Amino acid sequence: MSRSVPREVQVIERIAETATVFTLRVRFTDSRICRAYAFHPGQFNMLYLHGAGEIPISIVSDPEDEFALDHTIRAVGRVSQALAQVQPGDRLGLRGPFGRGWPLTQAIGNDVVILTGGLGCAPAVSAIHFIANRRAQYGHLNIIQGVRHADDMIWQARYKAWAQLPDTEVLLAADEAGTHWSGYLGHVTDLIENARFDPKNTIAMICGPELMMHNGVIELLKSGVPDDAIYLSIERNMHCAKGHCGHCQLGPHFVCRDGPVFNYADIRPWFAKAGI
Amino acid sequence: MCATVAVDPLAGFLPHSQLPALLHALHETGYRCIGPQARDGAIVFDELQDTADLPWGLIDVQEPGRYRLTEATSRRAFAWANGPQAIKPWVFQAHEPQWTAQRNAQGHIRFEAVHVAPQATAILGVRACDLAALQIQDCHFAGSRERDAAYLARRDHLLLIGIHCARSADTCFCVSTGDGPAIDRGADLILGEIDEGLIVSACSTAARRIFRLLPLERVRPEQWAMLRQEVTNNAGSQRRALPSQDLRNLLYAKLDSPHWSTIAERCLSCGNCTAVCPTCFCHQETDTSTLNGEWVTHAREWDSCFSDQHAHLAGLEIRSEVHLRYRQWLLHKLGTWHEQYGRSGCVGCGRCITWCPVGIDLTEEISAFSSEETST
Ligand SMILES: Cc1cc2nc3c(=O)[nH]c(=O)nc-3n(C[C@H](O)[C@H](O)[C@H](O)COP(=O)(O)OP(=O)(O)OC[C@H]3O[C@@H](n4cnc5c(N)ncnc54)[C@H](O)[C@@H]3O)c2cc1C
Ligand code: SF4
Ligand code: SF4
Ligand code: FES
């Protein structure tokens, strides 16, 4: 039921990440729903703002955080800009969770490469949390994040903290540097060759603009990671999130239901193809 | 669906003069009846109050970009082939409220699902292609783990009265898609029309209740022979066709063909083809609110992959150009549909050919891609 009709949530906190990026911590007002709600990292919700509409937003909090669900949103258009005005105490609607998330079970025992670009970092953050909280179960963890401009790099503190985790590497890149930029200057996908992983025992998770993901796939394949060990989170226009409205089709796949996280081998014919 | 009519030993014959008895039996058993009627120069389906309102003696003349009704030589009720609408609007409605949201003065929001309470509805005169399309829509809206409540409710209240096609329009090609012109499943009652009346078969429990209320005569062997002959001849008369093999490989190999651009030079991106197509399922969800903003109704409305918002992403239009939209349409309909629902999304009704304002014909475009293949 909560997948067809929104449930009311209350905004607990609004965190400004950058001038246009903000995080909304929300909690169901009905405690039964709160207890029953469970998600996997990489899944998303449809967030509804009264009078504005619904949009798909990934869940970035830890699945074990029973208190609230975090959504990190970039204000880009009608609904997301209206959501940017929301204040703690305000009520929204939420349907979800939808789709298939990251392959965190398959990744157990493997090295992990998490490659993200732009706000593409948001959907992957809950995967990072998940691995960080079960650090011993996974091999070497590479967190590779790129932004166009250094000033867009959000969660600097989190990256610093993650870099302190055992057996973990954080590699940051910016196409354009700011004044205090100490990371790599250039394309984020260049950093793949600096990452440490055993290509035959690696799971790669990529999220970001399609061109960046495409380049990331090429680099990973070059470094010997098999195509079916690469996972991508895809964005398409969405209305229903239930596999019915047809807007999110990527070739034969309904991104809302069969994705948004796909195994690269499954979508290869359709991925990064103009007009698909 | 198939190309020949199977003889049903339990069938009965209903003379045209007794057709009111069918309408009466439907009303008696609690159904409202939706039936074909001529309106504004086309066959449309609407509530049928009187069998005199059926399109007696009319046939449709269809060709790419053109449709008109004309007098037939015989006085039958079902001599026409089809109109712009299939039965889709009676199950997957063009506009369907999904839920409402009410925000009170404290800013609390109450969400409520909109439940539909459909009336038992009989649809008279459903074609084989439209029954096939309904089966496809059943898979889409009711076959996966997310079953659509409104669709299911309307579907469960339908009684389908199918009719074999003894005549095709010039645009029909259901024989090549394997969806007609005869009906072998998917209907509750099946009718076959000859000059004197209708051969009636009952195929479900609900239909047998109605069947028993009809003043039926025994079907004479020559009546069966006449019906079978007409439908078989009709199947042989279709001049358009899609290649019967799965067109996936052809289309997947043609994604970068220059021919898409030559289609786009003609295509107006109006979306008529998707609006008349009985299998297209795309819709958008929109909110309308009361003036004071207290109430919002979230509804779904038919949408089309030809609309400019269909594949909009903030900062990125996936299909800004018309050739990409036409490609999406054909690629989905005849290609990726196989992967989604185990068959093509085309049932050969020909509507998209007739109702295209510039007369684009998908069977011709497929031939163009095929010949491009043999020439390269
Ligand atoms: C699975 C998934 C997860 C996402 N996770 C996040 C996230 O965590 N944070 C974030 O900031 N953004 C995320 N997005 C993108 C976000 O949904 C869009 O930025 C948002 O829909 C834009 O809506 P708008 O009304 O502000 O923009 P407008 O440009 O005004 O868009 C109008 C309408 O088009 C549709 N639309 C536009 N862009 C997108 C898009 N990229 N994806 C899907 N529908 C779109 C929506 O229906 C929207 O209401 C995600 C998208 C998907 C598909
Ligand atoms: S694609 Fe055209 S011919 Fe095929 S089912 Fe749709 S409207 Fe009919
Ligand atoms: S994508 Fe286009 S062809 Fe496919 S169902 Fe939607 S409107 Fe019809
Ligand atoms: S969002 Fe409607 S089908 Fe995927």
Side-chain angles (χ1 to χ4, degrees):
Chain A
M1 189 47 146
S2 70
R3 292 162 64 85
S4 297
V5 180
R7 300 296 194 154
E8 190 193 54
V9 293
Q10 184 163 33
V11 177
I12 305 296
E13 198 181 345
R14 180 193 188 282
I15 304 152
E17 310 281 1
T18 69
T20 55
V21 180
F22 56 98
T23 297
L24 296 179
R25 305 208 76 202
V26 305
R27 184 176 168 80
F28 289 103
T29 52
D30 181 335
S31 58
R32 280 167 309 171
I33 298 170
C34 199
R35 279 193 298 275
Y37 183 97
F39 73 95
H40 296 290
Q43 285 190 299
F44 68 97
N45 289 321
M46 294 299 283
L47 278 189
Y48 166 81
L49 176 63
H50 197 75
E54 276 189 311
I55 53 171
I57 298 291
S58 313
I59 314 157
V60 294
S61 43
D62 193 294
E64 286 181 3
D65 179 348
E66 281 166 17
F67 181 71
L69 296 164
D70 294 359
H71 302 83
T72 296
I73 306 167
R74 184 189 288 275
V76 290
R78 212 173 49 79
V79 180
S80 54
Q81 280 164 358
L83 274 169
Q85 309 305 316
V86 159
Q87 295 303 322
D90 289 353
R91 314 264 171 139
L92 307 172
L94 185 154
R95 296 193 283 134
F98 295 109
R100 295 196 304 188
W102 298 110
L104 290 161
T105 309
Q106 286 105 295
I108 289 174
N110 288 276
D111 290 342
V112 175
V113 175
I114 296 182
L115 177 65
T116 60
L119 188 71
C121 53
V125 164
S126 60
I128 299 175
H129 277 306
F130 192 92
I131 294 172
N133 292 342
R134 297 152 189 82
R135 191 65 204 86
Q137 294 182 24
Y138 297 88
H140 190 74
L141 173 63
N142 299 273
I143 300 169
I144 312 176
Q145 153 76 4
V147 285
R148 198 168 306 148
H149 194 277
D151 295 348
D152 296 337
M153 188 69 75
I154 63 174
W155 294 324
Q156 299 267 15
R158 281 195 195 175
Y159 287 110
K160 281 205 183 88
W162 288 330
Q164 305 307 312
L165 290 170
D167 206 10
T168 301
E169 209 113 22
V170 172
L171 302 166
L172 303 177
D175 292 339
E176 289 168 50
T179 35
H180 303 295
W181 184 246
S182 58
Y184 175 74
L185 194 61
H187 294 311
V188 61
T189 49
D190 301 344
L191 292 176
I192 292 172
E193 45 174 53
N194 300 359
R196 281 207 294 120
F197 55 89
D198 166 10
K200 294 285 162 266
N201 293 296
T202 291
I203 294 287
M205 308 181 204
I206 318 181
C207 186
E210 274 181 32
L211 181 63
M212 168 258 155
M213 292 204 282
H214 186 60
N215 292 334
V217 168
I218 292 171
E219 291 303 321
L220 285 162
L221 291 173
K222 257 198 247 165
S223 64
V225 178
D227 58 0
D228 62 358
I230 302 173
Y231 290 80
L232 312 162
S233 182
I234 301 286
E235 263 184 36
R236 279 296 174 274
N237 187 292
M238 289 187 179
H239 284 239
C240 70
K242 296 186 294 182
H244 289 162
C245 77
H247 282 264
C248 68
Q249 290 176 85
L250 176 89
H253 308 287
F254 292 94
V255 173
C256 65
R257 184 191 68 194
D258 309 331
V261 174
F262 287 97
N263 187 296
Y264 172 65
D266 293 338
I267 57 165
R268 190 176 30 211
W270 310 107
F271 174 65
K273 188 104 189 98
I276 297 290
Chain B
M1 308 304 145
C2 56
T4 52
V5 173
V7 172
D8 167 16
L10 300 177
F13 185 75
L14 188 72
H16 275 135
S17 60
Q18 293 288 355
L19 203 50
L22 174 59
L23 194 57
H24 188 69
L26 291 170
H27 289 159
E28 283 287 280
T29 44
Y31 291 97
R32 68 166 169 168
C33 181
I34 303 300
Q37 291 153 65
R39 200 168 292 165
D40 300 326
I43 301 294
V44 297
F45 279 80
D46 203 349
E47 186 129 8
L48 186 72
Q49 306 292 356
D50 188 330
T51 50
D53 298 337
L54 289 167
W56 292 101
L58 289 178
I59 54 167
D60 47 349
V61 178
Q62 301 194 40
E63 55 190 278
R66 258 188 103 206
Y67 183 100
R68 80 196 144 83
L69 293 178
T70 174
E71 300 283 329
T73 47
S74 66
R75 240 189 90 72
R76 296 187 183 186
F78 303 98
W80 47 275
N82 64 28
Q85 262 176 342
I87 54 174
K88 182 166 92 171
W90 301 98
V91 245
F92 167 35
Q93 292 214 324
H95 178 93
E96 182 105 65
Q98 309 272 98
W99 43 265
T100 57
Q102 185 196 12
R103 187 173 59 184
N104 69 12
Q106 289 75 47
H108 295 201
I109 315 171
R110 252 179 81 88
F111 295 96
E112 208 82 63
V114 176
H115 295 291
V116 297
Q119 221 179 319
T121 302
I123 307 185
L124 173 63
V126 185
R127 300 297 180 180
C129 58
D130 290 346
L131 288 169
L134 188 65
Q135 285 182 356
I136 293 178
Q137 291 234 315
D138 285 350
C139 293
H140 180 70
F141 286 108
S144 72
R145 55 203 151 95
E146 297 282 358
R147 290 151 66 87
D148 186 82
Y151 182 95
L152 272 173
R154 295 189 194 287
R155 184 72 175 88
D156 285 347
H157 283 77
L158 278 193
L159 182 95
L160 298 164
I161 309 176
I163 180 137
H164 300 300
C165 290
R167 185 188 149 269
S168 291
D170 199 37
T171 41
C172 295
F173 55 98
C174 61
V175 175
S176 67
T177 63
D179 296 304
I183 297 170
D184 60 4
R185 66 195 127 91
D188 295 283
L189 277 170
I190 300 177
L191 311 178
E193 190 178 40
I194 53 175
D195 277 344
E196 307 131 61
L198 299 152
I199 297 176
V200 185
S201 295
C203 313
S204 69
T205 314
R208 275 185 279 277
R209 272 174 66 208
I210 291 148
F211 188 84
R212 280 195 292 271
L213 297 174
L214 300 176
L216 294 170
E217 301 169 4
R218 200 179 58 82
V219 190
R220 296 196 311 274
E222 62 273 24
Q223 289 175 319
W224 269 121
M226 172 81 74
L227 175 67
R228 301 191 74 208
Q229 188 65 55
E230 282 195 18
V231 175
T232 306
N233 288 351
N234 175 30
S237 77
Q238 293 188 355
R239 289 183 296 137
R240 285 188 162 74
L242 274 180
S244 57
Q245 86 268 21
D246 180 342
L247 293 168
R248 261 183 291 188
N249 291 341
L250 172 68
L251 287 165
Y252 293 1
K254 291 292 172 192
L255 291 183
D256 300 317
S257 161
H259 188 61
W260 298 111
S261 296
T262 69
I263 302 171
E265 284 165 18
R266 289 168 278 147
C267 176
L268 308 176
S269 201
C270 67
N272 271 18
C273 50
T274 57
V276 294
C277 181
T279 68
C280 272
F281 50 67
C282 279
H283 56 270
Q284 56 173 328
E285 299 194 2
T286 51
D287 289 349
T288 32
S289 57
T290 49
L291 268 184
N292 64 1
E294 181 186 351
W295 282 91
V296 163
T297 303
H298 186 88
R300 71 162 176 230
E301 280 164 13
W302 287 0
D303 197 4
S304 166
C305 54
F306 283 94
S307 83
D308 56 357
Q309 289 290 305
H310 192 270
H312 162 80
L313 293 181
L316 179 67
E317 300 301 338
I318 302 279
R319 286 187 283 277
S320 54
E321 292 166 71
V322 173
H323 76 276
L324 296 176
R325 295 188 199 164
Y326 190 88
R327 190 184 73 180
Q328 165 66 20
W329 181 70
L330 205 64
L331 184 67
H332 184 214
K333 193 103 316 194
L334 303 178
T336 55
W337 212 293
H338 285 276
E339 278 156 79
Q340 293 173 343
Y341 298 110
R343 61 156 295 169
S344 122
C346 177
V347 296
C349 73
R351 288 185 177 92
C352 56
I353 303 172
T354 299
W355 298 95
C356 172
V358 295
I360 295 174
D361 175 346
L362 77 168
T363 64
E364 274 177 20
E365 303 310 340
I366 285 295
S367 307
F369 283 116
S370 310
S371 52
E372 199 185 44
E373 185 168 59
T374 47
S375 66
T376 50

